Amino acid sequence: MAVRAEHDRAVLAGLLGRDPVLHAYQLGDLDDFFWPYTSWFRRGEQVALLYHGVDPPTLLAFAAPADTAALEVLLADLVPVLPARLYAHLSPGLTDVLAGTFRMDAGGRHHRMALTDPGRLATVPPTGAPLGVADLPALRELYARAYPGNWFDERMLETGQYLGVREGGELVAVAGVHVYSPAYRVAALGNVTTDPRCRGRGLGAAVVAALCARLRESVTHVTLNVKADNAAAVRLYERVGFTRVADYDEWALTAR
């Protein structure tokens, strides 16, 4: 069975929805908010996404260990149509098929985590007020101080799923989303940070807890990605009820 471009959202939702945590980002990208920026490819039951809403485009290809070989075949068929420069999020074991065509610079091992114990949210006093487009300048300033190089899609403020903490009129902590789709019942936390001057006081956990409680009103699965070596962030997420459910690797790819 050859690889094919897939344009039927219902088909994609059915395939990805078999593991909505592993495929949370892809399910979210089926939403109207992201759909115009996506190209989808399918071979049998395996799916890969090329997301064009960032520069360079990002390839997402995830599989359970038992399905890695089948997804590798899809990627091999896909190589000739990939751009000369892209970023990739790949389940472990999927690099060999790309390494012959692309120079692959490692971006590190990451954990996919999911909110599996929401009862723990109640152990953290929540805090944070909703942020909107008017808060964009303050948010940019906070990211410049606390999270330089952070990937932030400013359109996500339109979702209403960004919460911030202010002290003395200054934004000092924030939690937001990379993906939010009530239609597909998934969300992925992102753009979470605390001003370095205010760390160690629990503000990060408090604003994450508040956002998770807010998200659970409209979605079923709350997920996130975190670098495997970011022990402090992993501990924070575990504290509010997240557990590690899968690993993946990030890569910068450049055609040889």
Side-chain angles (χ1 to χ4, degrees), residues 14-66:
L15 293 170
L16 298 169
R18 294 178 303 172
D19 192 340
V21 170
L22 181 63
H23 300 299
Y25 274 74
Q26 291 149 300
L27 281 167
D29 287 343
L30 295 174
D31 199 277
D32 289 344
F33 195 83
F34 298 105
W35 179 256
Y37 303 95
T38 62
S39 297
W40 299 87
F41 304 92
R42 178 169 71 91
R43 192 180 193 278
E45 297 184 345
Q46 303 305 312
V47 174
L49 162 64
L50 189 63
Y51 180 68
H52 305 279
V54 291
D55 182 30
T58 299
L59 174 69
L60 280 73
F62 303 121

Side-chain angles (χ1 to χ4, degrees), residues 142-143 146-147 150 172-175 190-196 199 204 207:
L142 175 59
Y143 287 142
Y147 202 173
N150 174 41
V172 297
V174 65
N191 305 123
V192 177
T193 196
T194 301
D195 191 304
R199 290 175 183 167
V207 72

Side-chain angles (χ1 to χ4, degrees), residues 169-204:
E170 186 178 43
L171 191 64
V172 297
V174 65
V177 289
H178 283 158
V179 166
Y180 172 65
S181 176
Y184 294 97
R185 307 294 296 175
V186 295
L189 300 191
N191 305 123
V192 177
T193 196
T194 301
D195 191 304
R197 297 169 296 178
C198 302
R199 290 175 183 167
R201 294 166 42 195
L203 291 179

